[in-house]
Amino acid sequence: MRRRSEDTKALILAAARERFAADGYDRATIRAIAADAGIDPSMVMRYFGTKERLFAAAAEFDLELPDLTSVPGDDVGATLVAHFLDRWERDETLVILLRTAVTNEAVAERMRSIFSAQLVPVAAKISGDHAAARKRAALAASQILGMALCRYVLALPSLGTMTRQELVDWLGPVVQRYVASPA
Amino acid sequence: MRRRSEDTKALILAAARERFAADGYDRATIRAIAADAGIDPSMVMRYFGTKERLFAAAAEFDLELPDLTSVPGDDVGATLVAHFLDRWERDETLVILLRTAVTNEAVAERMRSIFSAQLVPVAAKISGDHAAARKRAALAASQILGMALCRYVLALPSLGTMTRQELVDWLGPVVQRYVASPA
DNA sequence: GTCTATAATTCGATAGAC
DNA sequence: GTCTATCGAATTATAGAC
């Protein structure tokens, strides 16, 4: 079958994202991705050069943190948790990054920089505690990533059955305390 | 060099645990483990049969949860957090399991059963909320595993510099609320 | 008990025909 | 733009000499 260049590229990228999300970087093979996309493995190399560059293209990501200035101070934790849940379920990129970061130092570094660049400023602004903003952001990340790990990656059954609202009710106050409790 | 059988086996196991902890199951090769142990790769096969059985031997694990009946009700969260931190730093097995579970369904299942068999009863007993004990245990696991993920695997710098006591102070009340807040 | 040699796969990557 | 064919490297695992 003959296709336009962008179509093939998009097909490959979609298949790559699914495979990387399901298997992580190492176990996701170019051959499997190509098979999913219904094309020849060599096409993947043609369009993306190397497996590493394919991964980079498949793992483009932005936390898209909302503007919290208009959110009432007491609702910051719940708002953040709800946003992350939404972000996680709308976009498999976070699963890709998490599944890969645990055994790939370069991707781990990307996770660190994503959270430090985007979450630290929020903690600094909300808490007014600029000295400890990095610690606060790291604590919030530990709870948010831990929930995602258990719910989406390890698939603990009880976390899977909890509704979004239940999770917001339980985790909201925790994140609230981490990023906004008085210094 | 000539050695006794148990010595060689112990050498292999120690090297395997280090490699599995550092690299996860896939990236840790039998060749590298053998090189670390200063022996020939075929010896590893001789003593353990397959890579999978070597991993099983290297990943034997027990949470060793302390008896909490004598702990004052308000200290349960802090006690649990302190115990897990200690457990994590004394024994690299949890890092091995975490690094591998994210891309290996069999190991993920082991993580689930470890936490469900050992943490759920604690939550049931402490909270008296038997109906929701699984949810409570899962929530506690999400914070505890998330902290371990960020501190020991992703190596967020600010979590690395925090002392054990600081972590207990921050996480203790959170775990306390998860496992012990009134139903 | 230890090692050499090698079989059998699998993977990323390349060259080149059509 | 797509595919066939294949290279070269790495890996688990086995057979057998000493």
Side-chain angles (χ1 to χ4, degrees):
Chain A
M1 197 192 324
R2 217 18 104 95
R3 294 186 203 86
R4 291 180 42 252
S5 163
E6 306 98 61
D7 295 350
T8 303
K9 200 164 179 176
L11 267 178
I12 295 170
L13 209 49
R17 291 170 58 77
E18 273 186 40
R19 280 283 175 179
F20 283 135
D23 303 335
Y25 183 82
D26 287 322
R27 294 175 107 104
T29 67
I30 297 219
R31 288 165 148 86
I33 290 165
D36 288 353
I39 52 117
D40 192 88
S42 65
M43 297 296 293
V44 178
M45 308 305 293
R46 177 176 171 85
Y47 283 111
F48 293 93
T50 67
K51 183 181 181 180
E52 225 170 90
R53 283 215 289 276
L54 172 62
F55 180 85
E60 279 299 338
F61 186 69
D62 188 325
L63 276 183
E64 297 176 8
L65 284 178
D67 180 19
L68 292 170
T69 51
S70 58
V71 174
D74 292 347
D75 296 346
V76 168
T79 303
L80 279 174
V81 172
H83 174 78
F84 274 104
L85 281 170
D86 189 58
R87 203 70 197 74
W88 224 286
E89 286 174 9
R90 258 189 23 241
D91 183 348
E92 59 202 345
T93 312
L94 276 167
V95 178
I96 296 178
L97 289 172
L98 184 49
R99 273 227 163 84
T100 303
V102 297
T103 49
N104 184 313
E105 176 52 27
V107 177
E109 172 56 31
R110 261 190 74 196
M111 289 280 273
R112 288 194 289 270
S113 70
I114 286 173
F115 276 84
S116 112
Q118 301 183 42
L119 203 53
V120 172
V122 171
K125 193 166 187 177
I126 301 293
S127 67
D129 181 8
H130 289 261
R134 300 189 65 84
K135 285 185 187 180
R136 289 172 175 279
L139 287 165
S142 82
Q143 175 60 95
I144 288 167
L145 286 178
M147 186 269 298
L149 172 75
C150 292
R151 182 171 158 102
Y152 303 111
V153 176
L154 296 184
L156 297 192
S158 11
L159 271 187
T161 60
M162 287 174 78
T163 65
R164 297 256 295 263
Q165 190 56 49
E166 269 184 288
L167 287 172
V168 171
D169 290 344
W170 277 106
L171 299 190
V174 173
V175 174
Q176 177 77 28
R177 174 161 166 272
Y178 287 156
V179 301
S181 74
Chain B
M1 198 193 322
R2 223 10 111 94
R3 295 186 203 86
R4 289 181 40 251
S5 163
E6 307 99 59
D7 294 350
T8 303
K9 199 164 180 177
L11 266 179
I12 295 170
L13 209 50
R17 291 171 57 78
E18 272 187 41
R19 280 284 175 179
F20 282 135
D23 302 335
Y25 183 82
D26 287 321
R27 294 175 107 105
T29 67
I30 297 212
R31 287 163 145 85
I33 291 166
D36 288 353
I39 51 117
D40 191 89
S42 66
M43 296 298 292
V44 178
M45 310 305 292
R46 176 175 171 86
Y47 283 111
F48 292 93
T50 68
K51 184 181 179 180
E52 224 170 89
R53 283 216 289 276
L54 172 63
F55 180 85
E60 280 298 339
F61 186 69
D62 187 326
L63 276 183
E64 297 175 8
L65 285 177
D67 180 19
L68 293 169
T69 52
S70 59
V71 173
D74 292 347
D75 296 347
V76 169
T79 303
L80 278 174
V81 171
H83 174 77
F84 274 104
L85 282 170
D86 189 57
R87 203 71 196 73
W88 223 288
E89 287 173 8
R90 256 190 24 240
D91 182 348
E92 57 202 345
T93 313
L94 277 167
V95 178
I96 296 178
L97 288 172
L98 184 50
R99 274 228 163 84
T100 303
V102 297
T103 49
N104 185 313
E105 177 52 27
V107 177
E109 170 59 30
R110 261 189 75 196
M111 289 279 275
R112 287 194 290 270
S113 71
I114 286 173
F115 276 83
S116 111
Q118 301 183 42
L119 202 54
V120 172
V122 170
K125 192 166 189 178
I126 300 292
S127 68
D129 181 7
H130 289 263
R134 299 189 68 84
K135 285 185 186 180
R136 290 172 175 279
L139 288 165
S142 81
Q143 175 59 96
I144 288 167
L145 286 178
M147 185 271 297
L149 172 75
C150 292
R151 183 172 157 102
Y152 303 111
V153 176
L154 297 184
L156 296 192
S158 9
L159 271 186
T161 60
M162 286 173 79
T163 65
R164 297 258 294 264
Q165 190 55 50
E166 269 184 288
L167 287 172
V168 171
D169 290 344
W170 277 105
L171 299 190
V174 173
V175 174
Q176 176 78 25
R177 174 162 166 271
Y178 288 156
V179 301
S181 73

